[in-house]
Amino acid sequence: MKEFWSGRIRDIVPYVPGEQPRDRKFIKLNTNENPYPPSERAVEAMRAAVGADLRLYPDPECTALRAAAAECWGVKPEQVFCGNGSDEILAFCFQAFFDPGRPVVFPKITYSFYPVYTDYFGLERREGPMNPDFSDPVELLCGNNGGVVLANPNAPTGIAVELDVVEKLLRANPDVVVIVDEAYVDFGAQSAVGLIDRYPNLVVAQTLSKSRSLAGLRVGFALGQENLIAALRCVRDSINSYTVDRVAQAGAAAALADREHFEQTRKKVMDTRAWAAGELEKLGFTVCPSRANFLFARHPDRPGKEIFDHLRQEGILVRRWDIPEIRDWLRISVGTDAEMQALITALRG
């Protein structure tokens, strides 16, 4: 029953987020949240921002936050755009840079919001089949398209490409925008931010949800040359000029400034990731080489659904997609050492 629904959304299949349980306590390894708390400096900044000034609208240009981001990533404030998480950033990008009639291209196995955006905004898409080892089909993303989207590292595989591959895409698609979604880049991949001044068609999307432990705050960024940032402002101000609230702006700026906390927590995640990958391999799992805060793994003798259900019964949530190419693969967020040990113990049972 979809009475009164607009024709644009009547046949849309929306994005399905990872389960957020309410009925019992689980070890949550299904939504790629950081297992460690955010910077205490960020928490204190947010506490200080809660007061009488909440009666006022926040700075729509996020001036202080953009300055903090520019300092963090070595760009100019004019090259930074802030939004309500990188999902909103990506939605704005799809509206700002892509036109109907020219297909947006991205790998077939990647972040499942991309096809949702193309459908929702009335865009065409072309999905490049993955290579047998799940590496990105780079050649299929070069030319004859209306725009490129590349998650680096990719989700859900965790596999990253080097900067020479990003440059290849930028050179092969000089007349369209190439979006590099770097939600997980801080866990061992190379960021393309340093290429911004050389390529006017590059947009880099970043988020504080993963490596800064602020998934609940919803703050994301786009980085690119001023012309592209202006396009994103045009989209934002045609929808909602106040996308990042006062408390979020204060906390995000403080989180970006706390480099010590950032380095400590991401190192913990990467160390635990390496240990857990080794333990999974000892149990016979095939594990993709991850540079994200999750592992993508399958067992040759056990269906993915069977393992998924078993783990859930043991109180552990992981992520699985019922897609032919990956239905036996599980995406496992990296938790604390104790949480990952509980995972390994449950898999042995």
Side-chain angles (χ1 to χ4, degrees):
M1 180 77 174
K2 296 183 178 180
E3 188 177 6
F4 304 123
W5 289 37
S6 77
R8 187 183 67 192
I9 69 166
R10 195 168 291 126
D11 297 322
I12 292 290
V13 178
Y15 175 78
V16 179
E19 180 182 358
Q20 297 286 359
R22 298 177 180 85
D23 57 337
R24 59 177 282 197
K25 186 166 181 63
F26 287 89
I27 294 175
K28 281 186 82 273
L29 305 178
N30 66 326
T31 50
N32 298 342
E33 293 147 324
N34 197 309
Y36 302 107
S39 160
E40 188 57 35
R41 287 168 58 181
V43 174
E44 288 300 320
M46 287 184 277
R47 289 195 184 107
V50 177
D53 281 350
L54 288 181
R55 67 188 177 84
L56 303 172
Y57 285 110
D59 174 9
E61 294 300 329
C62 301
T63 307
L65 177 53
R66 285 168 53 229
E71 176 70 21
C72 176
W73 285 301
V75 298
K76 296 181 290 187
E78 295 78 17
Q79 296 175 320
V80 180
F81 178 87
C82 306
N84 186 251
S86 60
D87 286 339
E88 181 182 75
I89 293 291
L90 291 166
F92 284 179
C93 285
F94 273 65
Q95 295 171 82
F97 306 125
F98 303 147
D99 289 314
R102 302 186 67 198
V104 181
V105 299
F106 43 81
K108 182 172 177 56
I109 303 301
T110 191
Y111 186 30
S112 51
F113 235 136
Y114 303 158
V116 173
Y117 288 144
T118 56
D119 289 346
Y120 183 76
F121 296 122
L123 302 168
E124 297 178 14
R125 67 174 182 266
R126 187 171 69 242
E127 298 170 272
M130 307 302 285
N131 295 322
D133 61 355
F134 284 137
S135 59
D136 289 315
V138 176
E139 297 300 330
L140 299 180
L141 308 181
C142 292
N144 190 31
N145 62 70
V148 180
V149 187
L150 181 77
N152 191 38
N154 192 28
T157 66
I159 297 173
V161 300
E162 306 302 329
L163 283 185
D164 63 322
V165 173
V166 176
E167 287 205 77
K168 180 176 181 176
L169 291 175
L170 290 163
R171 290 193 299 266
N173 300 285
D175 300 321
V176 300
V177 168
V178 175
I179 300 171
V180 182
D181 181 357
E182 295 187 346
Y184 303 101
V185 74
D186 292 325
F187 297 104
Q190 290 181 293
S191 175
V193 170
L195 302 177
I196 285 172
D197 285 336
R198 292 165 51 194
Y199 294 96
N201 59 328
L202 170 63
V203 172
V204 176
Q206 285 259 3
T207 179
L208 300 191
S209 294
K210 315 301 180 182
S211 58
R212 263 78 177 193
S213 307
L214 288 171
L217 200 64
R218 312 309 302 130
V219 177
F221 303 90
L223 303 136
Q225 291 192 16
E226 288 89 331
N227 172 57
L228 302 181
I229 300 303
L232 291 171
R233 287 202 306 270
C234 179
V235 172
R236 178 198 65 197
D237 293 340
S238 300
I239 299 172
N240 174 17
S241 293
Y242 304 102
T243 59
V244 186
D245 66 61
R246 282 180 172 272
V247 178
Q249 290 188 38
L256 288 172
D258 193 347
R259 294 290 302 184
E260 181 178 2
H261 181 271
F262 164 72
E263 295 292 350
Q264 288 175 349
T265 53
R266 77 185 187 116
K267 184 178 186 304
K268 287 181 184 178
V269 170
M270 290 189 288
D271 289 347
T272 302
R273 179 186 68 201
W275 175 84
E279 293 299 304
L280 287 169
E281 288 170 347
K282 290 177 186 177
L283 294 176
F285 282 83
T286 298
V287 184
C288 286
S290 175
R291 283 193 267 176
N293 68 335
F294 56 83
L295 296 167
F296 199 53
R298 70 179 290 271
H299 196 282
D301 302 321
R302 299 177 64 187
K305 181 69 163 57
E306 175 189 304
I307 301 173
F308 176 89
D309 290 341
H310 169 71
L311 289 173
R312 199 178 196 287
Q313 290 173 356
E314 295 293 315
I316 301 172
L317 296 179
V318 296
R319 194 80 193 266
R320 175 182 173 271
W321 289 267
D322 194 18
I323 298 172
E325 296 92 338
I326 59 170
R327 62 165 49 109
D328 287 326
W329 291 79
L330 302 173
R331 193 196 69 190
I332 305 166
S333 304
V334 176
T336 63
D337 289 346
E339 289 171 334
M340 300 309 285
Q341 181 61 69
L343 169 81
I344 299 302
T345 300
L347 289 171
R348 289 189 181 121

